[in-house]
């Protein structure tokens, strides 16, 4: 079984530029999560999807961050415009349901210069 | 109340020794306590998890001890091996996972 796929693995951009991250969850997993992981910290939830519905986006900074999960499979997380403080690893995870084990992808390491 | 406090921040153990990582929480609504292992460049992977109706769970060399009254839980790694060198995160959940800050474990040969 293929794991959670994320791309790109690394991204370096100038501040104020837009950036997008893509996630392909494990087949059959209807729950999808985006997390932010700062250096030396644990992951922090940004948004959770149940199929194509965002059921918890309370931690998503909506002034610059947006996410979508069209057709309830792949998901994209976008930042526009990026700020220096957005430099972090962005992790995607999926699960068979809300209360089931979450499987994490390798993450996208974003550096904003 | 949402925090999960993890200690120590880093840990060095000799091969064959016991690694112990501790976590504490405040929110009594938490009902699921997993431990994740993360290697550099990889996402976290579930290692072992416990629910508050049991005080201990063992899987191979890994054991979770859970003290509901003290609101504390810990991970014990028996016979620690160099391959166990990684960052370990405790977490707690009632409707979403709240992670601790992590413990960087180094097991020396």
């Amino acid at each position: 079984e293929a794991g959670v796929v994320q791309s790109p693995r690394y991204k370096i951009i100038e501040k104020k530029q837009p950036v997008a991250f893509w996630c392909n969850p494990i087949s059959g997993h209807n729950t999808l999560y985006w997390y932010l992981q700062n250096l030396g910290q644990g992951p922090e939830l940004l948004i959770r999807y149940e199929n194509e519905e965002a059921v918890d986006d309370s931690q998503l900074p909506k002034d610059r961050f947006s996410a979508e999960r069209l057709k309830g499979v792949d998901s994209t997380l976008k930042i526009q415009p990026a700020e220096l403080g957005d430099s972090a690893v962005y992790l995607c995870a999926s699960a068979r349901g809300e209360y089931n084990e979450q499987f994490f992808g390798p993450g996208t390491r974003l550096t904003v210069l | 109340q949402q925090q999960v406090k993890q200690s120590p921040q880093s840990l060095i153990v000799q091969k064959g020794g016991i690694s112990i990582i501790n976590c504490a929480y405040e929110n009594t609504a938490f009902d699921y306590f997993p431990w994740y292992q993360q290697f550099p460049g990889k996402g976290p992977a579930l290692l072992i998890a416990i629910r508050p109706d049991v005080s201990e769970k063992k899987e191979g060399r890994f054991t979770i001890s859970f003290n509901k009254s003290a609101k504390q839980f810990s991970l014990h790694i028996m016979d620690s091996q160099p391959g166990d060198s990684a960052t370990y995160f405790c977490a707690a959940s009632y409707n979403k996972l709240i992670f601790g800050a992590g413990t960087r474990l180094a097991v020396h040969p």
Side-chain angles (χ1 to χ4, degrees):
Chain A
E1 179 181 76
V4 175
V5 179
Q6 290 188 248
S7 69
R9 291 295 315 277
Y10 305 91
K11 188 73 176 179
I12 301 174
I13 61 172
E14 299 281 337
K15 64 180 180 181
K16 300 185 181 179
Q17 293 300 305
V19 64
F21 314 123
W22 176 80
C23 173
N24 181 237
I26 293 173
S27 177
H29 285 193
N30 59 315
T31 306
L32 184 144
Y33 308 80
W34 282 102
Y35 287 89
L36 166 71
Q37 186 174 25
N38 286 305
L39 186 65
Q41 298 295 318
E44 299 172 37
L45 181 68
L46 290 172
I47 190 168
R48 173 169 67 93
Y49 281 93
E50 294 293 339
N51 299 304
E52 60 274 4
E53 182 182 359
V55 296
D56 184 355
D57 63 355
S58 57
Q59 299 300 108
L60 189 72
K62 298 181 185 63
D63 56 337
R64 297 184 301 107
F65 286 66
S66 64
E68 61 182 12
R69 192 185 183 196
L70 301 176
K71 301 182 181 178
V73 181
D74 295 2
S75 178
T76 303
L77 177 69
K78 298 178 182 177
I79 308 175
Q80 183 170 11
E83 297 179 352
L84 294 177
D86 296 331
S87 296
V89 175
Y90 292 83
L91 293 163
C92 179
S94 70
R96 218 169 264 287
E98 179 185 352
Y99 298 106
N100 293 334
E101 177 183 350
Q102 295 184 30
F103 292 83
F104 283 81
T108 296
R109 181 177 295 277
L110 173 66
T111 302
V112 182
L113 302 176
Chain B
Q1 260 209 333
Q2 286 287 77
Q3 275 190 316
V4 177
K5 295 182 180 180
Q6 183 171 347
S7 64
Q9 192 172 22
S10 62
L11 181 62
I12 298 174
V13 173
Q14 292 299 121
K15 179 181 175 181
I18 303 173
S19 304
I20 302 174
I21 305 170
N22 301 298
C23 284
Y25 64 97
E26 289 294 325
N27 192 340
T28 55
F30 289 139
D31 61 0
Y32 176 64
F33 301 88
W35 285 88
Y36 283 80
Q37 180 188 56
Q38 186 174 28
F39 292 103
K42 304 289 186 181
L46 180 65
L47 193 61
I48 186 173
I50 197 168
R51 297 209 179 261
D53 52 344
V54 296
S55 60
E56 186 175 282
K57 182 174 182 180
K58 184 176 180 179
E59 290 184 0
R61 297 185 294 110
F62 301 92
T63 300
I64 298 179
S65 296
F66 187 82
N67 186 328
K68 189 174 181 178
S69 61
K71 291 186 281 187
Q72 295 175 348
F73 58 111
S74 60
L75 175 70
H76 290 63
I77 306 175
M78 311 301 287
D79 187 27
S80 298
Q81 299 296 312
D84 296 330
S85 297
T87 300
Y88 292 81
F89 294 96
C90 63
S93 171
Y94 62 96
N95 65 356
K96 61 183 174 184
L97 281 174
I98 307 297
F99 284 84
T103 296
R104 183 171 291 185
L105 171 66
V107 181
H108 289 178

